[in-house]
């Protein structure tokens, strides 16, 4: 589970808070993780799922998803590709780029001219720099004339893989 928004903490009742504390380091790695959380908290799995869904719908919880360590999976050449594309096409192009199997996340960011002309970011995962650059080439071909310049910022290490945390 990722990132509880600061301004939403006051909206939590005690059961919501206990669910977040029980899941903020991840769901149990077992066949029925919500049942395991429910047993720990003394409530039903349906209640756990209902509350997590509600908290997600209300923006209290940003997302519930697997957060892999790409390095441990062999993807050691991870690069944030940054693209200068026409603003009027960035949303549609971002959806196309984000649908590529080797892109884990893709989003729009503001330009900071003149030094930073890029407005579309796409994280590429590969097992080597050469492979990552080939994948960036695939994105460039997909963008075609909409690619008005790009760069790749390669990761050196993982800094953080968690959101805000509640304390008991």
């Amino acid at each position: 589970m990722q990132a509880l928004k600061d301004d939403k903490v006051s909206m939590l009742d005690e059961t919501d808070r206990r669910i977040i504390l029980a899941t903020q380091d991840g769901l149990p790695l077992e066949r029925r993780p919500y049942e395991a959380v429910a047993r720990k908290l003394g409530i039903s799995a349906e209640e756990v799922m209902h509350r997590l869904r509600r908290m997600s719908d209300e923006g209290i919880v940003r997302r519930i998803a697997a957060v892999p360590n790409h390095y441990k999976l062999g993807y050691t050449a991870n690069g944030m590709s940054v693209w200068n594309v026409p603003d009027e096409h960035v949303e549609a192009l971002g959806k196309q780029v984000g649908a590529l199997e080797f892109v884990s996340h893709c989003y729009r960011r503001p330009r900071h001219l003149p030094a930073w002309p890029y407005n579309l970011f796409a994280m590429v995962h590969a097992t080597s720099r050469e492979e990552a650059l080939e994948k960036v080439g695939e994105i460039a071909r997909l963008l075609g004339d909409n690619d008005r310049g790009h760069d790749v910022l390669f990761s050196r290490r993982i800094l953080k893989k968690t959101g805000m945390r509640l304390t008991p």
Side-chain angles (χ1 to χ4, degrees):
M1 195 168 74
Q2 186 183 37
L4 180 73
K5 293 185 176 181
D6 294 341
D7 59 334
K8 303 285 185 168
V9 174
S10 63
M11 297 174 62
L12 301 175
D13 69 15
E14 186 56 31
T15 301
D16 290 340
R17 188 175 193 72
R18 290 175 56 227
I19 290 170
I20 289 171
L21 287 168
T23 59
Q24 68 185 4
D25 288 326
L27 290 170
L29 294 177
E30 55 182 77
R31 188 164 191 203
R32 298 186 183 280
Y34 295 107
E35 288 182 11
V37 171
R39 278 192 308 275
K40 181 178 178 180
L41 300 178
I43 60 177
S44 71
E46 291 75 22
E47 181 74 7
V48 171
M49 290 184 285
H50 167 77
R51 285 174 174 266
L52 284 171
R53 190 174 306 113
R54 178 187 48 75
M55 287 187 277
S56 178
D57 290 346
E58 292 175 358
I60 295 169
V61 171
R62 217 176 11 184
R63 71 181 180 139
I64 301 169
V67 181
N69 181 327
H70 296 94
Y71 288 87
K72 287 184 179 179
L73 295 173
Y75 294 95
T76 56
N78 305 297
M80 179 59 76
S81 62
V82 293
W83 304 86
N84 176 358
V85 300
D87 288 323
E88 61 271 16
H89 301 302
V90 69
E91 187 171 332
L93 294 169
K95 287 180 183 179
Q96 292 176 34
V97 172
L100 297 170
E101 69 169 12
F102 54 84
V103 172
S104 64
H105 48 285
C106 181
Y107 46 89
R108 179 183 198 165
R109 287 288 186 254
R111 304 172 193 274
H112 294 282
L113 299 172
W116 193 257
Y118 310 111
N119 60 342
L120 181 64
F121 290 45
M123 190 68 183
V124 173
H125 299 283
T127 58
S128 69
R129 280 188 177 232
E130 295 77 24
E131 180 188 354
L133 292 171
E134 287 173 18
K135 291 177 176 184
V136 169
E138 286 184 48
I139 296 172
R141 286 187 291 282
L142 173 71
L143 295 175
D145 292 339
N146 291 301
D147 176 8
R148 296 181 178 168
H150 64 273
D151 202 349
V152 184
L153 311 170
F154 283 99
S155 301
R156 293 184 185 177
R157 60 192 164 122
I158 295 175
L159 298 174
K160 182 180 175 186
K161 295 292 268 186
T162 63
M164 186 184 109
R165 299 291 196 203
L166 286 182
T167 55

